[in-house]
Amino acid sequence: MEDLEDQKRKKKKEKMTLGSLSRVFARGKQRKSLDPGLFDDSDSLTQQSLSDGEEQLDRLQQAELTRNTCMSLWRAGAVQAWLEVVMGMPMYIRACSENVKSGKVLLGLTDEDLELGLGISNPIHRRKLRLAIEDYRRAEGDQGLSKASEMDHHWVATSWLSDVGLLQYSQTFQTHLVDGRVLNSLSRRDLERILNISDQFHQTSLLLAIQLLQILSFDKEALQAQRAKCELQDRDPIVWTCHRVMKWIRDIDLKEFADNLQGKGIHGAVMALDPSFDTDAMAKALGIPNNKHMLHRHLYEEMISLAVPHSSAEQGSEVINPSPPVAVKRFSEERLSMRRSGKSPLRLRANNHSVERGLGFHGSCGSLPREARVQAIPRAIPRAKGSPMHTYKSVEITNV
């Protein structure tokens, strides 16, 4: 209406050859002549908005009915409501209304039908529909819908990615409408070629977060309950979110490095399930300089402590994964073997005046400077004149 009014005014201005005073009167007449029409159109717009609201309410009611009704009993209206409200795919409603008239037809659709008949060119969109249809087909056998059906693409793109620590991919997941069922089907190839996630560690982080959901059978409530239990205690690191890992970093007095984990994709499942994730990987993600040997050693000790149970009461409580994280378990086994052999992980092994890095401790923490790894003397030998210890600097002796 505003555009039409502007066009009429422009035409009248071109025809007018009167002075400024006559133009004022002409505009006043124009306003009076338009007033009744404007009120009439506003009434029609109000009626149209009411009808749209009623139609939307009807769609919501039909979508709610599809949750408890077999797909084979759906009518055309229920199919369209399910596609728009439940699946979040309103862009395909027009093609669906023209080609799919019942739930029985929907159950028989193939990948080729979805692409040619409904015009769905996005492979993830087609996969999402096929997985949902298959889920409803199994639900008709009194099995019920899977827990993954409760994870819609809005939750995945916002809450789940935030917990993983890779919220920068939220728009990509929104565009491809990735929900819980699609998450369960994603592979590294899908992440790289379809979702355009090229970073190898980010791919691993996402796949391990999906593995955690598979361990819990995609039970969102169970995951949230387990995370609530370990929010104030350093237990069950496998369920920790990226934010919980950052809180743990602050709690162990490394708060100046905690914010460096944002956008890195380091969460509890990475710490617990990735065998290649060790102290060096964590220190690199935190941005701890390589020459900060004492900080590396401190981080190493704290990661070991995650494998130690807090109390006998907590040992008896239910946990998702009773075994300690892979990297932490490896560190703990190394320390145990060293203690049994009568050696300390903080003491150098002296054999023929050569340094042996004890069971990977110095290899992972880098506690000795490069030049200090050439020679060392046994503890029992005093520091005589000409001893290699005299060639060390004070800071190197402190590190040793």
Side-chain angles (χ1 to χ4, degrees):
M1 288 300 297
E2 290 177 357
D3 293 338
L4 290 174
E5 289 176 23
D6 291 338
Q7 292 177 4
K8 290 179 181 179
R9 287 173 184 171
K10 288 179 181 179
K11 290 180 180 179
K12 288 187 177 182
K13 284 181 180 179
E14 292 175 358
K15 295 179 180 179
M16 284 183 183
T17 56
L18 301 175
S20 59
L21 186 60
S22 61
R23 288 180 182 178
V24 172
F25 285 110
R27 287 177 182 173
K29 293 178 181 178
Q30 182 183 356
R31 288 194 188 96
K32 290 179 181 178
S33 63
L34 286 175
D35 283 343
L38 286 174
F39 283 114
D40 293 341
D41 291 335
S42 64
D43 292 340
S44 62
L45 289 173
T46 302
Q47 294 175 358
Q48 184 178 358
S49 63
L50 287 174
S51 62
D52 291 341
E54 292 175 355
E55 183 179 355
Q56 184 67 20
L57 181 61
D58 182 59
R59 284 281 175 87
L60 292 174
Q61 291 175 348
Q62 291 192 45
E64 188 65 27
L65 291 175
T66 60
R67 300 179 184 276
N68 302 318
T69 308
C70 295
M71 181 175 281
S72 58
L73 303 178
W74 293 0
R75 298 295 183 183
V79 172
Q80 297 170 22
W82 174 77
L83 189 64
E84 178 184 3
V85 179
V86 179
M87 300 301 292
M89 295 179 163
M91 69 286 289
Y92 304 119
I93 285 184
R94 183 175 179 180
C96 180
S97 62
E98 295 175 355
N99 297 281
V100 182
K101 301 298 183 180
S102 67
K104 291 182 180 179
V105 177
L106 190 62
L107 285 170
L109 293 180
T110 63
D111 193 77
E112 184 179 0
D113 296 331
L114 294 174
E115 183 176 7
L116 301 179
L118 299 184
I120 304 177
S121 58
N122 189 311
I124 297 295
H125 289 187
R126 294 199 302 271
R127 185 187 302 184
K128 178 178 180 176
L129 272 176
R130 286 190 291 103
L131 291 173
I133 292 171
E134 186 61 29
D135 195 9
Y136 274 88
R137 181 182 286 110
R138 288 194 298 267
E140 292 190 1
D142 295 332
Q143 294 182 4
L145 293 175
S146 63
K147 288 290 185 179
S149 63
E150 300 175 7
M151 301 177 178
D152 58 22
H153 64 271
H154 295 293
W155 181 85
V156 171
T158 54
S159 180
W160 183 76
L161 281 179
S162 176
D163 293 340
V164 173
L166 294 174
L167 201 56
Q168 61 266 35
Y169 299 115
S170 177
Q171 187 58 47
T172 301
F173 276 66
Q174 283 276 18
T175 302
H176 291 279
L177 304 178
V178 178
D179 61 359
R181 299 187 187 97
V182 176
L183 272 183
N184 196 23
S185 69
L186 288 179
S187 63
R188 189 178 293 272
R189 181 187 180 93
D190 296 329
L191 294 175
E192 183 173 2
R193 298 200 174 185
I194 302 179
L195 298 180
N196 298 320
I197 301 176
S198 57
D199 190 287
Q200 294 289 329
F201 184 78
H202 289 179
Q203 295 174 10
T204 301
S205 175
L206 290 168
L207 292 175
L208 289 175
I210 295 172
Q211 185 177 344
L212 174 61
L213 293 177
Q214 292 170 345
I215 293 173
L216 293 167
S217 302
F218 284 81
D219 193 336
K220 185 166 60 174
E221 295 180 357
L223 176 61
Q224 293 173 349
Q226 195 66 30
R227 284 174 173 170
K229 291 180 181 179
C230 63
E231 187 63 30
L232 300 177
Q233 297 179 352
D234 294 342
R235 50 175 293 181
D236 292 347
I238 189 174
V239 300
W240 285 7
T241 65
C242 173
H243 311 292
R244 179 63 179 87
V245 174
M246 292 171 65
K247 178 182 179 297
W248 175 71
I249 293 296
R250 295 188 185 96
D251 291 341
I252 62 174
D253 300 321
L254 293 175
K255 60 182 179 181
E256 63 270 25
F257 303 104
D259 291 337
N260 294 336
L261 292 183
Q262 291 182 355
K264 296 293 182 63
I266 295 179
H267 49 89
V270 172
M271 298 173 61
L273 301 176
D274 187 0
S276 64
F277 189 82
D278 54 7
T279 306
D280 287 338
M282 177 64 86
K284 183 178 179 181
L286 290 171
I288 300 177
N290 293 330
N291 59 350
K292 298 289 185 179
H293 309 299
M294 301 303 292
L295 293 182
H296 281 254
R297 181 180 300 174
H298 171 67
L299 180 62
Y300 169 82
E301 294 291 339
E302 292 295 337
M303 290 186 71
I304 287 178
S305 68
L306 287 179
V308 180
H310 295 277
S311 65
S312 58
E314 291 180 7
Q315 291 181 24
S317 62
E318 182 181 358
V319 294
I320 292 178
N321 185 10
S323 61
V326 175
V328 175
K329 183 177 180 180
R330 185 173 67 252
F331 296 155
S332 182
E333 290 174 351
E334 290 172 359
R335 163 174 277 197
L336 182 60
S337 63
M338 296 176 77
R339 285 178 176 174
R340 288 176 178 174
S341 60
K343 302 178 181 65
S344 169
L346 301 181
R347 188 186 309 163
L348 295 177
R349 292 179 60 191
N351 185 12
N352 296 327
H353 299 281
S354 63
V355 176
E356 295 180 11
R357 290 177 290 182
L359 295 177
F361 173 78
H362 297 297
S364 62
C365 295
S367 59
L368 289 177
R370 185 183 300 274
E371 60 272 14
R373 299 175 187 171
V374 179
Q375 269 191 333
I377 58 174
R379 186 177 180 183
I381 299 178
R383 292 179 55 187
K385 187 176 181 180
S387 169
M389 293 296 289
H390 286 291
T391 63
Y392 291 163
K393 299 178 183 178
S394 60
V395 65
E396 295 170 356
I397 294 176
T398 302
N399 288 338
V400 172

